[in-house]
Amino acid sequence: MPEIPSSAIESSRERPRIGVYVCHCGTNIAGIVDVRAIVEFAAKLPGVVVSRDYKYMCSDPGQALIQQDIAEHHLNRVIVASCSPLLHEATFRRVLSRAGLNAFLLQMVNIREHVSWVHLNQREATEKTKDLVRAAVRRVSLHKPLQKRRVSINPHVLVVGGGIAGIHAALTLAEAGKQVYLVEREPTIGGHMAKFDKTFPTLDCAACILTPKMTAVGSHPRIHLWTYSEVVRVEGYVGNYKVKVRRKPRYVIEDLCLGCQECVTACVYKEAKNPDEFNLGLSKRKPVYLPFPQAVPQKVVIDPQTCIQFKSGKCKKTCVEACGDRKAIDFTQKETIEDIEVGTIILATGFKTFDPVRNPYYGYGRYANVYTSLEVERLINASGPTAGEIVLRDGGQPKAVGIIHCVGSRDANTNRWCSKVCCMYSLKLAHLIKERTGAEVYNFYIDMRTPGKGYEEFYDRLLDEGVHFVRGRVAEVSDWATHPSEKGRLVIRVEDTLAAFVRRIPVDMVVLSVGMEPQPDAQDVRRLFNISCSTEGWFLERHPKLAPVSTFTEGVYIAGACQGPKDIPDSVAQAGAAAAEAMALIDAQFVELEPYTAFISEDQCSGCKTCIPLCPYQAISYMEEKKKAAINEVLCKGCGTCVAGCPSGSIQQNFFEDEEIFEEIEGVLAYA
Amino acid sequence: MRNRDLTPSEKSQATFEPRIVAFFCNWCTYLAADLAGTSRMKYAPNVRVIRVMCSGRVDPQFVLDAFAHGADGVFIGGCHPGDCHYQEGNYKTLRRFHLLKRVLQQMGIEDERCRLEWISAAEAERVRSTINDMVEKVRALGPLDLIPTEEKVSAEEVAV
C-alpha cells in the first residue's frame, strides 16, 4: 500500500485553515436556504479562512474556484455544503487531490437532499444548514490524511440469470476475453424472450434473433454455462468474491446427453400428462423432457415429481434402455455445490408477470377464454402448443378479441407503476391476432404509451389496420348475457371515456395485458448479493441517471428487468453497460477501497477480547504473546461495530474516529 | 388557544422547537433520507443527521453526549434485521440499545426521546413519518432539562 507522504501528515497537523464552499445548485438549494447568510456565518467560525458560494460547485469553474483557493490561501481543510456526499463526495475529493491536499481532508454537508428539498420554511432551513456547517467545520479540523486501499481484481465474472440481458452480458464479456460463469435457475437459458413469437415494433421473430445468441453462449469456450443452478452463497468483496453455486440434479449427465430425445419417445408414459412449464400449462410434457425445441443446453431433464422411477422405484426404465451405450441417464445423481471465485457480478434475474387472479373482476381462472398476454404469446408462437394457431379452449376460432391493458399496472389496488412494455406488446398481439384470425380486435387502454424508436409509427399502423381502441379502464369481464348477441360469449363492460358512456362489448377471447413485477424471491436474492431494492421491490441502482447499472455494493451490477420494467432493447443496452462496467474494473486490474477501516492503539488495548466476536468478517485476532487484539486491515470492511463496542476506547475507525463524531454532535447542538 | 392567555409553561411549549440528533447508517437510512429529498417529501426541520457507515458504529456514548449537549431527542436509523450491509452490525446496535435504554431510564430521560428504527433505502416515507412523529412526541415532552440540574440542586441546598 502506498504510504501517505510525511509532508501531508505535517500539513494536516498545522493549525486548520478551512475553506467553506456553499453550492446554490441553481435554485435547488438557494431557493430555500439563504446561501449568503450561510457564507457570512461560516466566515466567522474558528479556523475558517475563506467562505464562498457559487451557483454550481460541482461544475468546472466551481471546482477550479476551490482548487485556486487551496493554493492561494494555503487551505488545509475543505467543506463543501451541497448535495448528498453519496453523489459528489468523490468529485470534490478529486479536487483536493489535484490541489495537492489529501482527499480525506474534505467534509461534505448535505444541504440539498437533507435540507432544501425537504423543508419549506427559509428561516428554519437556513438555521438547520448553519448547524450542519458548524458541525462540519468542527469535525474537519480533526480529519487526518488517509490513503485508499488497493485490492486486485479477479478477472472472472459471474452473470446470474440467462434471459436476454444475462446472455448479452455474458457474450460481451466472453468476446472481450473474460471468463464468465452464467448461472441460470431453469433447465434452459432464454428467459421470457424465448417464449415470445414476434418482437415489437419490427415484428422480427424473437427466436430468430435470440436462439443464435443462446447457441453462442452454449458453445463459447470462455462461458461456463450452468443451468438448473442457483447461487446459494456470496462472500468477499469487490474484485474478490467467493461464490457457492448449487447445481440441481437433472438426473441426466450433461456431458453424455446428446439431446436426441429418444428417451422422451421411449418413456413408459405414451401420452404426455404433465403441464408443460414452458408453455405455461397450455400443453403437456412427459416426466423426461426437453424444455423447448431450441433449448440451450440441448439436454433433457427428468422431473422427479412426476417420474415413476422416483415415485415408486418400479419403472421399467425404458428411457435408460433407449439411451443405451450413451448412459446419460443417472437416477442417483445428487445436487452438487461448486465453489467459484470471481471479481465482479452481474445480476440479470428478470421479472415475473402479474398474476391476474388478484383482479377477480377480469375472470381469469374462472372463464376458460380469458388468457394472459404471455399465454397468448405461446399460442401465437409457431413452436408453441398450437403451432401458432390462435384457438379457443374448445378449439374454435375467435371472432372478436378484447385486449385489456394495464392489468396489474397503474392500479392503486395492485401495482402503481407503469410496466412500460404492455402498450407495445398489446399492439403487437392485436396486429398478429387480426392478421391470423381476421377477428375484430378491441384494445381497452387508459393512455397509449408508445415512447421509443418506431413505436408511435407502429401505433399509427394499427389505427390504419382497423383495430378498435376504446379509452377506459375495463370494469368487468362476465358471461352474463343481456342480449341474444351476447349469449355464450364474454362481455366486457367499460366506460368509454372519449364517447362518455358505458359500453358492453361481447367477445370470444379476452387477453389480459399483465404488467411486470419483481421476481417473488427478489428480496432473498438482494440479501444474498448485499444490494438494496426500491420501494416496489426492483433492484436499486446506485444513481438513477449517473450510475444506472451499478449498485451500492461495489463490483455488483444489475441489468435488465430486475432493475425495473423494460423492453428488450433497453435490457440489452443495460446488459452491455453492465458488462462494460465490469470490464472497466477488470482492465484497471485493481480497485481502490475506502480507507474507513478500524485500527487498535496497542497501548490502550487491555486484551479483553470483547471486539473479537463482534466482527462478522473474522478480521480481529488475538495476539497471545502480546495479549492484545489485532485487526487485519485487508479483511476489515469498515463498519465500526468493534469501535463502538471497545470498553477501553482503544479501537478507532478512520474517518469516523470518536473525537470526530463527538465534534459533529456537539457542533450541531452548539447553537446560540 | 389564541383567545386566552397562555400560562408560562404553555408559552415555552408553544415556542419550543425540539433539537434531535440522528445517526443514520450509510447504506439504508441515510439513503432513505436522500430519497425523501429526491422525492421532495416535506418533514419537520428539527433533525440533524450524522452519517455513520453502520448503525453498529453508534457508541452509546454518542447518544449520551448528544443529550448532555442539549439534544432533546436522539434517533438512530439502521438497516432492517437481516439486511445489514455488514451482515449483522444492526443486531449489535439493538443489543446495545436495550442496555442504553435502561441507563437513560435511570437518568430520567423519557422513552420517546431515544428511538431506534429500521429504515431501508426504499423507505423514504418512513423517514418522513418517523421524524414528524418523533418531533411531535418530543415537543409534547418539552425540553430535556439536563444541564441546569446541578445548579438547581445546589440552589435548593443553599435554600435549606
Side-chain angles (χ1 to χ4, degrees), chain A residues 501-522:
Chain A
F501 67 94
V502 175
R503 293 175 70 172
R504 292 174 63 86
I505 299 177
V507 296
D508 307 303
M509 180 184 207
V510 171
V511 182
L512 303 179
S513 295
V514 287
M516 291 162 98
E517 279 184 343
Q519 289 275 21
D521 59 351

mmCIF file of all heavy atoms in Angstrom, chain A residues 501-522:
data_model
loop_
_atom_site.group_PDB
_atom_site.id
_atom_site.type_symbol
_atom_site.label_atom_id
_atom_site.label_comp_id
_atom_site.label_asym_id
_atom_site.label_seq_id
_atom_site.Cartn_x
_atom_site.Cartn_y
_atom_site.Cartn_z
ATOM 1 N N PHE A 501 -69.834 7.201 -22.379
ATOM 2 C CA PHE A 501 -70.919 6.318 -21.936
ATOM 3 C C PHE A 501 -70.366 4.926 -21.653
ATOM 4 O O PHE A 501 -69.230 4.623 -22.054
ATOM 5 C CB PHE A 501 -72.066 6.288 -22.956
ATOM 6 C CG PHE A 501 -71.727 5.661 -24.277
ATOM 7 C CD1 PHE A 501 -71.976 4.315 -24.514
ATOM 8 C CD2 PHE A 501 -71.163 6.425 -25.300
ATOM 9 C CE1 PHE A 501 -71.666 3.739 -25.735
ATOM 10 C CE2 PHE A 501 -70.847 5.855 -26.518
ATOM 11 C CZ PHE A 501 -71.101 4.507 -26.740
ATOM 12 N N VAL A 502 -71.157 4.132 -20.964
ATOM 13 C CA VAL A 502 -70.699 2.791 -20.595
ATOM 14 C C VAL A 502 -71.060 1.823 -21.718
ATOM 15 O O VAL A 502 -72.194 1.807 -22.197
ATOM 16 C CB VAL A 502 -71.325 2.352 -19.260
ATOM 17 C CG1 VAL A 502 -70.943 0.917 -18.931
ATOM 18 C CG2 VAL A 502 -70.875 3.284 -18.144
ATOM 19 N N ARG A 503 -70.079 1.048 -22.147
ATOM 20 C CA ARG A 503 -70.322 0.114 -23.255
ATOM 21 C C ARG A 503 -70.264 -1.325 -22.768
ATOM 22 O O ARG A 503 -69.607 -1.634 -21.784
ATOM 23 C CB ARG A 503 -69.248 0.312 -24.331
ATOM 24 C CG ARG A 503 -69.357 1.657 -25.004
ATOM 25 C CD ARG A 503 -68.224 1.874 -25.983
ATOM 26 N NE ARG A 503 -68.348 1.002 -27.161
ATOM 27 C CZ ARG A 503 -67.548 1.148 -28.228
ATOM 28 N NH1 ARG A 503 -66.624 2.075 -28.267
ATOM 29 N NH2 ARG A 503 -67.691 0.323 -29.251
ATOM 30 N N ARG A 504 -70.956 -2.175 -23.483
ATOM 31 C CA ARG A 504 -70.854 -3.632 -23.281
ATOM 32 C C ARG A 504 -70.361 -4.201 -24.593
ATOM 33 O O ARG A 504 -71.018 -4.042 -25.621
ATOM 34 C CB ARG A 504 -72.226 -4.235 -22.961
ATOM 35 C CG ARG A 504 -72.811 -3.834 -21.611
ATOM 36 C CD ARG A 504 -74.219 -4.382 -21.479
ATOM 37 N NE ARG A 504 -74.248 -5.840 -21.490
ATOM 38 C CZ ARG A 504 -74.076 -6.590 -20.397
ATOM 39 N NH1 ARG A 504 -73.895 -6.019 -19.226
ATOM 40 N NH2 ARG A 504 -74.094 -7.906 -20.484
ATOM 41 N N ILE A 505 -69.234 -4.840 -24.587
ATOM 42 C CA ILE A 505 -68.699 -5.367 -25.843
ATOM 43 C C ILE A 505 -68.540 -6.879 -25.725
ATOM 44 O O ILE A 505 -67.733 -7.360 -24.916
ATOM 45 C CB ILE A 505 -67.355 -4.687 -26.178
ATOM 46 C CG1 ILE A 505 -67.596 -3.183 -26.345
ATOM 47 C CG2 ILE A 505 -66.742 -5.293 -27.444
ATOM 48 C CD1 ILE A 505 -66.358 -2.375 -26.609
ATOM 49 N N PRO A 506 -69.333 -7.644 -26.481
ATOM 50 C CA PRO A 506 -69.195 -9.105 -26.424
ATOM 51 C C PRO A 506 -68.011 -9.582 -27.266
ATOM 52 O O PRO A 506 -67.816 -9.125 -28.389
ATOM 53 C CB PRO A 506 -70.523 -9.615 -27.007
ATOM 54 C CG PRO A 506 -71.055 -8.498 -27.823
ATOM 55 C CD PRO A 506 -70.414 -7.222 -27.397
ATOM 56 N N VAL A 507 -67.182 -10.446 -26.684
ATOM 57 C CA VAL A 507 -66.020 -11.003 -27.399
ATOM 58 C C VAL A 507 -65.939 -12.501 -27.113
ATOM 59 O O VAL A 507 -66.643 -13.021 -26.232
ATOM 60 C CB VAL A 507 -64.696 -10.329 -26.951
ATOM 61 C CG1 VAL A 507 -64.662 -8.860 -27.309
ATOM 62 C CG2 VAL A 507 -64.484 -10.509 -25.445
ATOM 63 N N ASP A 508 -65.078 -13.198 -27.857
ATOM 64 C CA ASP A 508 -64.899 -14.642 -27.637
ATOM 65 C C ASP A 508 -63.643 -14.932 -26.826
ATOM 66 O O ASP A 508 -63.495 -16.001 -26.246
ATOM 67 C CB ASP A 508 -64.797 -15.356 -28.992
ATOM 68 C CG ASP A 508 -65.963 -15.006 -29.873
ATOM 69 O OD1 ASP A 508 -67.106 -15.230 -29.445
ATOM 70 O OD2 ASP A 508 -65.731 -14.441 -30.973
ATOM 71 N N MET A 509 -62.748 -13.967 -26.853
ATOM 72 C CA MET A 509 -61.468 -14.195 -26.172
ATOM 73 C C MET A 509 -61.036 -12.886 -25.513
ATOM 74 O O MET A 509 -61.174 -11.815 -26.102
ATOM 75 C CB MET A 509 -60.427 -14.609 -27.218
ATOM 76 C CG MET A 509 -59.056 -14.890 -26.678
ATOM 77 S SD MET A 509 -57.960 -15.234 -28.090
ATOM 78 C CE MET A 509 -56.752 -16.261 -27.320
ATOM 79 N N VAL A 510 -60.556 -13.014 -24.267
ATOM 80 C CA VAL A 510 -60.060 -11.832 -23.577
ATOM 81 C C VAL A 510 -58.568 -12.034 -23.297
ATOM 82 O O VAL A 510 -58.155 -13.097 -22.821
ATOM 83 C CB VAL A 510 -60.820 -11.591 -22.252
ATOM 84 C CG1 VAL A 510 -60.145 -10.490 -21.424
ATOM 85 C CG2 VAL A 510 -62.271 -11.238 -22.523
ATOM 86 N N VAL A 511 -57.769 -11.031 -23.644
ATOM 87 C CA VAL A 511 -56.334 -11.087 -23.362
ATOM 88 C C VAL A 511 -56.036 -10.048 -22.289
ATOM 89 O O VAL A 511 -56.349 -8.868 -22.459
ATOM 90 C CB VAL A 511 -55.502 -10.776 -24.630
ATOM 91 C CG1 VAL A 511 -54.011 -10.894 -24.324
ATOM 92 C CG2 VAL A 511 -55.902 -11.689 -25.776
ATOM 93 N N LEU A 512 -55.473 -10.482 -21.189
ATOM 94 C CA LEU A 512 -55.124 -9.553 -20.114
ATOM 95 C C LEU A 512 -53.657 -9.160 -20.264
ATOM 96 O O LEU A 512 -52.768 -10.016 -20.157
ATOM 97 C CB LEU A 512 -55.354 -10.201 -18.744
ATOM 98 C CG LEU A 512 -56.774 -10.714 -18.485
ATOM 99 C CD1 LEU A 512 -56.851 -11.359 -17.104
ATOM 100 C CD2 LEU A 512 -57.805 -9.606 -18.621
ATOM 101 N N SER A 513 -53.417 -7.890 -20.541
ATOM 102 C CA SER A 513 -52.038 -7.420 -20.702
ATOM 103 C C SER A 513 -51.425 -7.208 -19.324
ATOM 104 O O SER A 513 -51.483 -6.127 -18.751
ATOM 105 C CB SER A 513 -52.011 -6.124 -21.506
ATOM 106 O OG SER A 513 -52.460 -6.407 -22.810
ATOM 107 N N VAL A 514 -50.841 -8.307 -18.821
ATOM 108 C CA VAL A 514 -50.346 -8.284 -17.447
ATOM 109 C C VAL A 514 -49.028 -7.520 -17.360
ATOM 110 O O VAL A 514 -48.199 -7.583 -18.263
ATOM 111 C CB VAL A 514 -50.178 -9.711 -16.883
ATOM 112 C CG1 VAL A 514 -51.525 -10.314 -16.588
ATOM 113 C CG2 VAL A 514 -49.411 -10.593 -17.848
ATOM 114 N N GLY A 515 -48.885 -6.820 -16.258
ATOM 115 C CA GLY A 515 -47.686 -6.000 -16.064
ATOM 116 C C GLY A 515 -46.509 -6.803 -15.543
ATOM 117 O O GLY A 515 -46.584 -8.021 -15.357
ATOM 118 N N MET A 516 -45.401 -6.113 -15.306
ATOM 119 C CA MET A 516 -44.189 -6.761 -14.812
ATOM 120 C C MET A 516 -44.037 -6.492 -13.316
ATOM 121 O O MET A 516 -44.322 -5.393 -12.853
ATOM 122 C CB MET A 516 -42.972 -6.211 -15.565
ATOM 123 C CG MET A 516 -42.938 -6.639 -17.012
ATOM 124 S SD MET A 516 -41.833 -5.598 -17.979
ATOM 125 C CE MET A 516 -40.376 -6.595 -18.026
ATOM 126 N N GLU A 517 -43.581 -7.522 -12.617
ATOM 127 C CA GLU A 517 -43.376 -7.434 -11.168
ATOM 128 C C GLU A 517 -41.981 -7.949 -10.847
ATOM 129 O O GLU A 517 -41.438 -8.761 -11.579
ATOM 130 C CB GLU A 517 -44.370 -8.347 -10.432
ATOM 131 C CG GLU A 517 -45.725 -7.759 -10.254
ATOM 132 C CD GLU A 517 -46.618 -8.677 -9.421
ATOM 133 O OE1 GLU A 517 -46.281 -9.873 -9.268
ATOM 134 O OE2 GLU A 517 -47.636 -8.180 -8.942
ATOM 135 N N PRO A 518 -41.431 -7.533 -9.682
ATOM 136 C CA PRO A 518 -40.160 -8.142 -9.268
ATOM 137 C C PRO A 518 -40.345 -9.645 -9.054
ATOM 138 O O PRO A 518 -41.442 -10.096 -8.717
ATOM 139 C CB PRO A 518 -39.858 -7.447 -7.935
ATOM 140 C CG PRO A 518 -40.660 -6.198 -7.943
ATOM 141 C CD PRO A 518 -41.884 -6.499 -8.748
ATOM 142 N N GLN A 519 -39.286 -10.395 -9.252
ATOM 143 C CA GLN A 519 -39.328 -11.842 -9.005
ATOM 144 C C GLN A 519 -39.778 -12.094 -7.570
ATOM 145 O O GLN A 519 -39.423 -11.315 -6.676
ATOM 146 C CB GLN A 519 -37.929 -12.441 -9.189
ATOM 147 C CG GLN A 519 -37.461 -12.495 -10.630
ATOM 148 C CD GLN A 519 -37.932 -13.726 -11.368
ATOM 149 O OE1 GLN A 519 -38.903 -14.377 -10.972
ATOM 150 N NE2 GLN A 519 -37.270 -14.034 -12.456
ATOM 151 N N PRO A 520 -40.520 -13.178 -7.323
ATOM 152 C CA PRO A 520 -41.006 -13.407 -5.954
ATOM 153 C C PRO A 520 -39.885 -13.536 -4.922
ATOM 154 O O PRO A 520 -40.077 -13.209 -3.756
ATOM 155 C CB PRO A 520 -41.809 -14.712 -6.059
ATOM 156 C CG PRO A 520 -41.609 -15.222 -7.434
ATOM 157 C CD PRO A 520 -41.013 -14.153 -8.282
ATOM 158 N N ASP A 521 -38.704 -13.986 -5.358
ATOM 159 C CA ASP A 521 -37.614 -14.127 -4.387
ATOM 160 C C ASP A 521 -36.582 -13.001 -4.522
ATOM 161 O O ASP A 521 -35.434 -13.157 -4.115
ATOM 162 C CB ASP A 521 -36.941 -15.500 -4.515
ATOM 163 C CG ASP A 521 -36.369 -15.717 -5.900
ATOM 164 O OD1 ASP A 521 -36.646 -14.894 -6.799
ATOM 165 O OD2 ASP A 521 -35.644 -16.720 -6.094
ATOM 166 N N ALA A 522 -37.023 -11.871 -5.081
ATOM 167 C CA ALA A 522 -36.077 -10.755 -5.274
ATOM 168 C C ALA A 522 -35.447 -10.327 -3.951
ATOM 169 O O ALA A 522 -34.277 -9.967 -3.900
ATOM 170 C CB ALA A 522 -36.777 -9.572 -5.933
#
